[in-house]
Amino acid sequence: MDTAALTMWRLWAVCAALAVTAVWAQEAEKLTQPNPCTSKQTCSECMQTPTCAWCALPTFEATQIAPQRVRMSLRVHEAHDLKVQFALAPNYPIDLYYLMDLSKSMEDDKDKLSTLGNLLAQEMRKLTSNFRLGFGSFVDKVVMPYVSTVPANLESPCTGCEAPYGYQNALSLTSDTEMFAREVRDAKVSGNLDAPEGGFDAIMQAIVCKEEISWRSNARRLLVFSTDAGFHYAGDGKLGGVVKPNDGVCHLDSRGRYTHSDMLDYPSVSQINQKVKENSINVIFAVTAEQRETYDELSRHIEASSAGTLSNDSSNVVTLVKQQYDAITSFVEMKDNSTEFVRIRYYSACRGNTTTETNRCDKLKIGQQVNFTAKVELIKCPEDPARWNDIIEIKPAGLNESLIIDLAMQCQCDCDRPGGPGFKPAAIAAECNYGGDLQCGKCVCDPLHFGAFCECSQSDPNGRIGEDQCRPPNSTDILCYGRGECVCGECNCYPRENPNEEVKGDFCECDNFSCDRHEKLLCSGPDHGSCVCGECSCLDGWTGNACQCPASNASCIAPGDTRQCSGAGECVCGQCVCKEEQGARYSGKYCEDCPTCRGKCELYKPCVNCVVHDSGELKEEGRCEEECSHLIINKTDVVEVENPDERICTFSDEHGCRYQFVYGYDGETQVIRAQETKKCPPAINILGIVLTLIAAIVVVGMAVLMLWKLLTTIHDRREYAKWDSERKMAKWDTGENPIYKQATSTYKNPAYGGK
């Protein structure tokens, strides 16, 4: 930074400190009193007045956020904590622009507002001595179906009404409240056809026409939007043939009238929100009760806006504006314009002691300072080097003040760019054989040279042209398959740590260690084969991708059989793969078993009964030795399966006795191990069981009868005792009827003769 710039930066810092000190010192003064500093015309007069400060910069403006500008240099995924201070300054300038719906239904509201202008200014001056007020009005687009285009209605759409219009700036911001009252009083209402109004056109023009409205850059900008109806938004203009999108540009003539009302469509909500953020406008929607819900929803989509309920004649507008202003200034919310390459997170304890991740603090009072920590992190570098230097703005929502971050992204080393330390051009780079630039200790060769140190030339007399000779023909693979270094058009393969492993070939494409393995052995071990250029070369007698399979099928033929896999499977890699057909499922080493069909259990059963248990048809017919001599049958007490190739068979004889045997192979010989002793179930005493059941039934029946008799006896005795007790308690004579009464009158029939 040069001396002049450094002096300017220091002067800015001094001015900011003076301004903040003065502002906070004035907090104790009553805001209703005139500011003693505003009348001081020279620095000497200012410095002789307590609580006043003077800044020598002609463009300096006091701010509520500190610092105002910083420089920051970041690497990817490197975060920096930036301390940000904010304090609500007393006596801060306020610009209030009152934008009013002047359709016929708002006539009484206009009359009331004209009488409240001075009161509104008086209340706002309690907040600041630097207050200005402006006024604008709107109706709707002067096209059908919004406004009647009958010639007579275009001049006066209703009794005492002015010709319809879109928007008009009646009074730019001024401190003359009498002029405000006069302009509001003299403004005439107009009329339109549909219920929604063209308020969005008016809001857009009131925001973007900064010079025409006279918005100040160093003031809090309030836009009070007053209406009793809804609003048209983007797309509604098609009903009137207005299809060109709103351009967000000021279009006011010398009279303050909106000239493009019938040319441009209504703005969208997002357009309004964007312009509100760009121009730091605080919008206050002062609407009637029936429209409150609609504008509450709208305010949720527009930054730094709020909504309040307006009385039928707008008599509460002063109170409403004061309340909404207090609500707006009681919080601060930090916003930024960071891109996808930069992430900013905010932390603050607000007015408490616990720091949390938040960008908003509430319940602030004038003069109170809150501290934020902005954690700025570079996520990734932009591909375009022109964007490696960025300007990021952090600002409180609704205020035209900001902290500017001049961010330098460290996406390239200084030694990678010409002129930087550690960079040598080819002309002086002896380390690169003058065939390329030395950048950060690495040679970057020019188009005529290649190699680690640019030692190879494209004009090699041996005909090798550059690095293309280190790639296979018609291939775009990496050089030397990534397993070697290209030196002057030839691949020098990298050595391996294991001395038994080697990489070779013209392009380092071959090795002796990347072949298939079987049971963790390369090509199933040296007895089966060896690895040659990434593929197994098998010895005689072996085959398969890892030389794991015998070349012959002898291992798939059972002893004493000539069929491969017992004719029920296929020999794959020296092992039988059994098949399934017609419900039969074969298994076993040689597919000799079939659990779902008649198997060898039934085949060996007669011989086991004959040899081991001395029973069965073969024993009776004397053919035991003749039929079973080819089998080796061993007797044992317990039968268990000892290997996966064995099968167990279980049978029961005519007495229910259970016996088992196992058959399998001992090498090439069929062997049977049979259970010598049968397991018979114990004999059952049926007569004893029947007699026991009969006795139990008789005993239970007698017990039930005795219990019934006992309960009946007890019940009868209780009933008798109750009757006897009632009889003894009787008080009347048993010969008279206690309810009988003599007749009070008697009559005698004279015709009755006694018969």
Side-chain angles (χ1 to χ4, degrees):
M1 182 182 295
D2 56 25
T3 304
L6 182 60
T7 302
M8 185 64 68
W9 274 96
R10 289 176 176 172
L11 189 55
W12 267 97
V14 172
C15 289
L18 288 172
V20 172
T21 303
V23 166
W24 290 353
Q26 293 171 7
E27 180 184 359
E29 298 182 4
K30 294 184 178 180
L31 299 177
T32 54
Q33 297 179 355
N35 187 349
C37 303
T38 57
S39 61
K40 308 307 175 185
Q41 301 299 317
T42 65
C43 182
S44 299
E45 292 179 354
C46 178
M47 299 309 292
Q48 295 176 25
T49 305
T51 73
C52 292
W54 188 278
C55 180
L57 283 178
T59 59
F60 176 75
E61 298 170 352
T63 61
Q64 302 177 109
I65 186 173
Q68 281 79 51
R69 198 174 192 113
V70 297
R71 292 183 178 180
M72 188 178 296
S73 180
L74 292 178
R75 298 172 60 184
V76 174
H77 297 307
E78 179 183 52
H80 179 76
D81 290 344
L82 178 62
K83 304 298 182 182
V84 182
Q85 299 175 349
F86 179 84
L88 288 172
N91 210 37
Y92 197 77
I94 298 177
D95 285 348
L96 190 152
Y97 189 79
Y98 201 98
L99 184 57
M100 190 173 188
D101 173 10
L102 281 190
S103 57
K104 182 66 175 177
S105 59
M106 294 287 287
E107 186 171 15
D108 57 340
D109 299 74
K110 177 190 74 69
D111 296 338
K112 194 67 177 179
L113 179 63
S114 64
T115 64
L116 295 176
N118 288 329
L119 180 58
L120 178 61
Q122 181 180 350
E123 288 297 321
M124 297 305 292
R125 285 199 176 95
K126 292 180 180 179
L127 303 174
T128 176
S129 61
N130 195 349
F131 171 71
R132 297 195 309 165
L133 194 61
F135 175 70
S137 61
F138 65 92
V139 182
D140 211 337
K141 294 183 182 297
V142 190
V143 294
M144 284 289 291
Y146 318 112
V147 171
S148 174
T149 56
V150 175
N153 291 339
L154 286 177
E155 295 181 2
S156 179
C158 50
T159 303
C161 291
E162 187 182 15
Y165 58 92
Y167 161 71
Q168 180 175 8
N169 174 33
L171 177 66
S172 299
L173 291 165
T174 177
S175 57
D176 189 346
T177 57
E178 294 295 338
M179 184 181 295
F180 174 83
R182 184 168 58 254
E183 288 293 339
V184 175
R185 182 178 62 251
D186 294 343
K188 293 184 178 181
V189 297
S190 185
N192 61 329
L193 296 179
D194 62 342
E197 314 291 3
F200 272 22
D201 275 344
I203 293 176
M204 176 63 75
Q205 293 302 302
I207 292 176
V208 299
C209 297
K210 293 181 285 188
E211 295 182 0
E212 289 78 0
I213 304 299
S214 301
W215 292 112
R216 291 178 293 179
S217 61
N218 63 331
R220 185 178 286 274
R221 305 170 180 178
L222 303 180
L223 176 61
V224 180
F225 181 84
S226 175
T227 184
D228 63 350
F231 49 85
H232 285 296
Y233 52 88
D236 287 358
K238 295 180 180 179
L239 297 174
V242 182
V243 297
K244 187 176 182 180
N246 194 284
D247 58 6
V249 177
C250 180
H251 297 288
L252 296 186
D253 59 15
S254 58
R255 299 180 303 160
R257 287 288 181 101
Y258 179 35
T259 59
H260 284 54
S261 177
D262 56 353
M263 303 179 191
L264 300 178
D265 192 8
Y266 300 99
S268 66
V269 175
S270 61
Q271 281 182 297
I272 295 293
N273 182 52
Q274 182 64 29
K275 293 302 179 181
V276 164
K277 292 193 295 184
E278 289 177 359
N279 295 275
S280 303
I281 302 293
N282 296 109
V283 182
I284 300 175
F285 295 109
V287 297
T288 53
E290 58 270 15
Q291 297 295 330
R292 177 63 186 274
E293 183 177 353
T294 300
Y295 283 89
D296 278 338
E297 181 65 26
L298 177 61
S299 66
R300 282 192 282 269
H301 297 279
I302 297 180
E303 183 179 290
S305 66
S306 60
T309 302
L310 195 66
S311 61
N312 292 332
D313 60 352
S314 298
S315 59
N316 68 331
V317 66
V318 176
T319 303
L320 189 150
V321 172
K322 177 65 168 57
Q323 290 175 347
Q324 296 301 315
Y325 177 80
D326 290 341
I328 290 173
T329 57
S330 66
F331 75 92
V332 59
E333 184 175 10
M334 293 297 178
K335 299 285 187 177
D336 60 73
N337 62 342
S338 59
T339 64
E340 70 272 18
F341 305 105
V342 179
R343 178 172 61 195
I344 302 180
R345 291 180 292 178
Y346 300 91
Y347 299 85
S348 178
C350 293
R351 304 301 301 170
N353 298 320
T354 304
T355 299
T356 59
E357 183 173 355
T358 179
N359 66 331
R360 178 185 175 112
C361 288
D362 298 311
K363 299 180 180 179
L364 300 185
K365 295 181 180 179
I366 292 178
Q368 286 185 337
Q369 176 181 327
V370 291
N371 299 318
F372 289 91
T373 298
K375 184 179 290 293
V376 186
E377 180 181 3
L378 179 61
I379 304 300
K380 61 180 179 179
C381 288
E383 295 183 0
D384 184 5
R387 301 182 63 185
W388 289 351
N389 291 287
D390 196 8
I391 296 179
I392 298 176
E393 185 179 32
I394 298 177
K395 61 184 301 183
L399 286 177
N400 194 29
E401 302 177 10
S402 61
L403 161 60
I404 303 298
I405 301 176
D406 295 303
L407 178 61
M409 304 180 190
Q410 296 182 359
C411 301
Q412 184 183 40
C413 296
D414 291 338
C415 53
D416 275 335
R417 56 183 176 83
F423 182 93
K424 283 187 179 182
I428 61 173
E431 300 89 340
C432 300
N433 296 291
Y434 307 103
D437 299 332
L438 179 65
Q439 300 181 14
C440 301
K442 183 178 179 180
C443 290
V444 179
C445 304
D446 60 31
L448 299 178
H449 295 84
F450 61 96
F453 301 100
C454 304
E455 70 276 18
C456 304
S457 173
Q458 296 281 16
S459 58
D460 192 322
N462 295 327
R464 294 187 298 271
I465 307 300
E467 296 178 343
D468 291 340
Q469 298 300 312
C470 293
R471 296 186 179 93
N474 301 321
S475 174
T476 58
D477 292 343
I478 58 177
L479 298 177
C480 303
Y481 282 92
R483 304 198 294 183
E485 181 181 11
C486 184
V487 179
C488 297
E490 292 183 354
C491 288
N492 288 345
C493 302
Y494 298 134
R496 302 280 298 179
E497 293 182 2
N498 187 342
N500 296 323
E501 297 179 353
E502 63 177 10
V503 178
K504 57 185 178 179
D506 292 340
F507 307 103
C508 301
E509 73 277 12
C510 294
D511 63 66
N512 66 345
F513 53 83
S514 61
C515 294
D516 292 334
R517 297 174 182 266
H518 178 67
E519 295 182 351
K520 299 183 180 180
L521 294 176
L522 188 67
C523 297
S524 300
D527 295 337
H528 289 231
S530 59
C531 183
V532 179
C533 199
E535 294 184 358
C536 287
S537 177
C538 302
L539 299 177
D540 292 341
W542 298 98
T543 185
N545 60 326
C547 302
Q548 75 276 21
C549 302
S552 68
N553 296 330
S555 59
C556 294
I557 300 175
D561 198 350
T562 60
R563 298 171 301 169
Q564 182 177 295
C565 299
S566 303
E570 182 181 0
C571 187
V572 178
C573 196
Q575 294 183 347
C576 287
V577 178
C578 303
K579 62 184 179 181
E580 299 181 14
E581 56 183 12
Q582 297 179 353
R585 300 179 61 184
Y586 295 92
S587 61
K589 180 179 180 181
Y590 303 106
C591 301
E592 72 277 16
D593 291 333
C594 181
T596 60
C597 57
R598 182 180 176 87
K600 291 190 175 183
C601 288
E602 292 289 345
L603 180 64
Y604 297 146
K605 175 183 177 182
C607 289
V608 171
N609 283 334
C610 180
V611 175
V612 178
H613 303 296
D614 198 24
S615 63
E617 296 178 358
L618 295 180
K619 180 65 177 178
E620 294 175 358
E621 297 175 0
R623 295 185 295 110
C624 187
E625 183 176 353
E626 177 185 352
E627 298 289 340
C628 304
S629 59
H630 67 287
L631 298 175
I632 299 176
I633 302 177
N634 298 323
K635 299 178 182 180
T636 182
D637 293 334
V638 179
V639 174
E640 293 180 350
V641 176
E642 297 179 356
N643 61 70
D645 293 331
E646 292 184 341
R647 297 293 181 270
I648 189 168
C649 304
T650 304
F651 294 98
S652 298
D653 60 13
E654 63 274 11
H655 303 295
C657 296
R658 181 172 171 270
Y659 63 97
Q660 295 178 316
F661 63 89
V662 170
Y663 68 88
Y665 291 93
D666 185 4
E668 301 296 329
T669 305
Q670 183 79 64
V671 177
I672 298 174
R673 299 195 312 278
Q675 177 182 325
E676 184 175 10
T677 305
K678 295 182 179 181
K679 293 183 179 180
C680 299
I684 300 176
N685 188 354
I686 298 177
L687 180 60
I689 294 175
V690 172
L691 293 177
T692 301
L693 288 175
I694 293 174
I697 292 172
V698 171
V699 171
V700 172
M702 292 298 294
V704 172
L705 288 174
M706 293 178 66
L707 179 61
W708 175 80
K709 180 63 178 176
L710 177 62
L711 294 176
T712 302
T713 302
I714 293 173
H715 179 267
D716 290 345
R717 290 182 177 179
R718 285 182 176 175
E719 290 294 322
Y720 176 79
K722 180 179 178 181
W723 174 83
D724 187 59
S725 175
E726 291 176 352
R727 181 181 61 82
K728 292 179 178 180
M729 293 176 63
K731 299 298 183 178
W732 62 83
D733 187 355
T734 56
E736 295 182 359
N737 187 347
I739 64 174
Y740 173 77
K741 292 184 179 180
Q742 292 290 334
T744 55
S745 300
T746 57
Y747 298 90
K748 186 175 181 180
N749 187 354
Y752 176 67
K755 296 181 181 180

